[in-house]
Amino acid sequence: MTRCLDCGSERTTDQCTSCGLTTAAAELTFRRRLMRQTGIFLLGSLAFPYISQIYPPLDLDWILVFFGLIFFGALTLAVVLERRARNHQEIELMKRAYNGFIPLPWILAATLFINGRLDAQKNVVYYPTAVEARFNMKGIVKGSRRLVVRSWREGERVERLAVDMDDYDRFHEGDPIVVGVEPGALGIPWYYGVYRR
Ligand SMILES: [Zn+2]
């Protein structure tokens, strides 16, 4: 049994009885949509790291691992889908899986944005701590600079704060600092600022 690449209906003749497209036309339509969806996905993948630098969650590194899985998972699917469509192979399930991936970076970005944007400045709590280490991760996400500080949270030994370039250069190992933390409108704690004690 073959299915129309575009609408997914079962097809016995070259022309799909459901959408009217021929095999070649359905392939073209599908590949155009795949490109458009991939574009939307990539835009979201740029928005997410951008927002995560404006309202950086304390547990950003775990969220970045999750985001990385989404990113490479989706791009792998896109490549496989493209190849299977070209060979006119079955793609229905994979197509649905891919549709599910498209909004994920946007949902992550919107969550962090709402979490930070709707948080009131009066909620900032300041924790005294000290810088234990710093490192600059060169990777996919531009400017992944971390200040590793002693944690004030129970069960956590250190916090890895995603700081900007200025704060990264300003502080050094052993510096006593104060970290301003907001609880987050959606309950995701994020750090508001880091100051010298
Ligand atoms: Zn069709």
Side-chain angles (χ1 to χ4, degrees):
M1 180 193 69
T2 42
R3 286 176 180 280
C4 172
L5 283 179
D6 185 51
C7 72
S9 306
E10 288 177 36
R11 189 163 55 75
T12 46
T13 53
D14 184 55
Q15 188 168 24
C16 173
T17 47
S18 208
C19 69
L21 294 176
T22 61
T23 308
E27 186 196 332
L28 193 69
T29 311
F30 168 72
R31 286 167 71 156
R32 277 202 192 123
R33 191 171 58 231
L34 185 65
M35 287 237 293
R36 199 171 54 235
Q37 283 183 312
T38 305
I40 293 169
F41 178 83
L42 289 177
L43 268 183
S45 301
L46 289 176
F48 165 68
Y50 179 74
I51 302 288
S52 79
Q53 286 184 351
I54 301 175
Y55 304 110
L58 288 180
D59 297 309
L60 178 61
D61 287 334
W62 287 111
I63 302 173
L64 283 177
V65 168
F66 179 59
F67 171 71
L69 290 175
I70 291 172
F71 188 77
F72 289 110
L75 291 194
T76 306
L77 257 185
V79 171
V80 175
L81 268 172
E82 209 275 338
R83 200 175 52 212
R84 289 184 71 92
R86 204 181 331 132
N87 298 332
H88 296 171
Q89 286 170 300
E90 175 68 42
I91 54 167
E92 273 317 295
L93 267 181
M94 249 183 242
K95 218 160 79 173
R96 261 173 240 167
Y98 192 61
N99 288 344
F101 272 101
I102 306 308
L104 292 181
W106 289 103
I107 292 171
L108 277 179
T111 303
L112 291 191
F113 182 76
I114 293 165
N115 184 63
R117 189 81 180 82
L118 299 186
D119 211 352
Q121 202 181 328
K122 62 173 169 54
N123 294 336
V124 184
V125 178
Y126 295 93
Y127 297 98
T129 177
V131 178
E132 289 202 346
R134 336 175 295 152
F135 61 89
N136 191 353
M137 284 194 294
K138 294 195 176 67
I140 309 149
V141 181
K142 185 178 148 281
S144 297
R145 295 173 185 82
R146 298 286 185 275
L147 277 188
V148 182
V149 305
R150 223 177 33 235
S151 182
W152 51 89
R153 292 193 289 177
E154 210 173 312
E156 303 281 341
R157 203 187 70 74
V158 292
E159 302 292 342
R160 295 141 63 92
L161 306 175
V163 292
D164 60 21
M165 209 193 301
D166 288 344
D167 282 341
Y168 185 79
D169 291 337
R170 210 152 59 92
F171 297 108
H172 300 93
E173 252 180 80
D175 283 356
I177 57 165
V178 176
V179 180
V181 176
E182 292 243 41
L186 300 176
I188 306 165
W190 59 285
Y191 97 88
Y192 180 78
V194 49
Y195 315 93
R196 205 169 282 281
R197 254 199 278 168

